[in-house]
């Protein structure tokens, strides 16, 4: 209604200017009004709509609380997490043939927070912490859990990375290695990340 009133007022002003001897002709004013209408249509198209199927899907996901830490049963069974329709994989920068599961986390400032699981096979899962825009477009992601075979200093073994995430999304990642002949795994590295104002994960110094 406001837009109709605005255009009506603009028409009245333009006609008044024309009647007072303005050199522009009627076709010039028609072009101006047409440009205004096109700009308004373009602005409406850029606005996210509530019936966007991608937004509707993410809004139906369960909410997982933080803080959270590595839990073997969670990694194996992915409770609360829901399979992402393959058509929506591109929101996470994945091809449609990758099997993904997702769950929502409490938001951080102006960003939606998601926990994403990539199923590599029936027994192998990689977890990512993701920041997303208000329209659920991926901003950044951080691998927080993975397990893989690795050759370390000439020794073949299993490298495992697990995580601890605070309620302020300060993320501590610890890497462990267990060689073929080792009875127990040993800690080999630790790092910490925070989310900067652009929504990206940024490595921070670990205070000892």
């Amino acid at each position: 209604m406001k837009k109709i009133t605005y255009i009506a007022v603009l028409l009245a002003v333009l006609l008044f200017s024309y009647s007072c001897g303005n050199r522009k002709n009627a076709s010039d004013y028609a072009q101006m009004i047409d440009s205004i209408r096109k700009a308004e249509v373009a602005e409406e198209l850029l606005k996210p709509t509530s019936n966007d199927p991608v937004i509707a899907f993410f809004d139906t996901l369960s909410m997982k609380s933080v803080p959270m830490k590595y839990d073997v049963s969670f990694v194996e069974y992915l409770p609360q997490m829901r399979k992402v329709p393959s058509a929506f994989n591109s929101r996470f920068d994945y091809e449609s043939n990758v099997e993904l599961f997702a769950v929502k986390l409490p938001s951080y400032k102006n960003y939606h927070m998601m926990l994403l699981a990539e199923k590599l096979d029936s027994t192998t899962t990689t977890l990512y912490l993701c920041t997303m825009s208000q329209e659920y477009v991926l901003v950044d992601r951080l691998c927080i859990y993975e397990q893989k075979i690795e050759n370390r200093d000439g020794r073949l073994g299993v490298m495992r990375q697990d995580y601890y995430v605070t309620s302020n999304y300060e993320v501590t990642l610890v890497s462990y290695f267990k060689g073929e002949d080792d009875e127990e795994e040993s800690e080999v590295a630790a790092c910490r990340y925070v989310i900067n104002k652009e929504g990206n994960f940024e490595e921070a110094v670990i205070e000892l």
Side-chain angles (χ1 to χ4, degrees):
M1 189 70 182
K2 290 182 179 178
K3 291 181 179 178
I4 295 172
T5 304
Y6 173 75
I7 292 174
V9 171
L10 179 60
L11 278 170
V13 171
L14 293 175
L15 289 172
F16 176 76
S17 300
Y18 179 71
S19 65
C20 292
N22 193 303
R23 293 182 180 179
K24 290 182 179 294
N25 57 41
S27 64
D28 292 329
Y29 295 124
Q31 290 176 5
M32 291 172 62
I33 293 169
D34 188 50
S35 296
I36 292 170
R37 285 174 175 162
K38 286 180 179 178
E40 289 176 344
V41 170
E43 183 181 355
E44 288 297 322
L45 290 174
L46 288 173
K47 292 180 180 179
T49 59
S50 58
N51 41 359
D52 180 341
V54 176
I55 294 177
F57 167 74
F58 284 121
D59 283 346
T60 64
L61 293 178
S62 299
M63 177 75 73
K64 180 176 174 57
S65 63
V66 288
M68 61 180 182
K69 62 181 180 178
Y70 168 73
D71 180 277
V72 63
S73 62
F74 181 85
V75 171
E76 288 182 358
Y77 301 109
L78 304 179
Q80 294 181 264
M81 301 192 80
R82 183 177 173 187
K83 192 177 188 307
V84 179
S86 59
F88 302 160
N89 280 15
S90 59
R91 288 298 177 108
F92 295 107
D93 280 349
Y94 275 95
E95 298 294 330
S96 60
N97 61 341
V98 179
E99 190 175 16
L100 300 176
F101 294 81
V103 66
K104 288 194 297 187
L105 302 171
S107 60
Y108 178 76
K109 297 185 177 179
N110 294 323
Y111 301 101
H112 292 297
M113 300 299 299
M114 309 286 292
L115 185 63
L116 181 72
E118 177 187 0
K119 291 287 285 185
L120 303 175
D121 55 47
S122 59
T123 60
T124 309
T125 300
T126 301
L127 290 182
Y128 295 90
L129 185 61
C130 302
T131 55
M132 306 188 79
S133 71
Q134 290 298 302
E135 292 74 38
Y136 289 101
V137 176
L138 181 69
V139 177
D140 198 12
R141 71 181 177 206
L142 176 69
C143 178
I144 61 172
Y145 170 80
E146 65 177 340
Q147 185 167 298
K148 58 186 179 181
I149 302 298
E150 189 171 297
N151 190 316
R152 182 175 177 82
D153 300 326
R155 298 168 60 223
L156 195 65
V158 176
M159 180 69 75
R160 178 176 67 85
Q161 176 181 273
D162 66 23
Y163 58 91
Y164 180 81
V165 181
T166 72
S167 56
N168 292 322
Y169 292 104
E170 296 171 344
V171 184
T172 300
L173 304 177
V174 183
S175 297
Y176 300 90
F177 180 78
K178 183 178 181 181
E180 289 180 312
D181 300 323
D182 296 337
E183 292 186 3
E184 296 182 358
E185 61 183 12
S186 56
E187 181 179 328
V188 294
C191 55
R192 182 167 296 166
Y193 290 86
V194 295
I195 302 173
N196 63 25
K197 61 182 181 180
E198 287 80 26
N200 295 311
F201 292 100
E202 186 176 273
E203 190 166 1
V205 176
I206 295 180
E207 297 180 3
L208 300 176

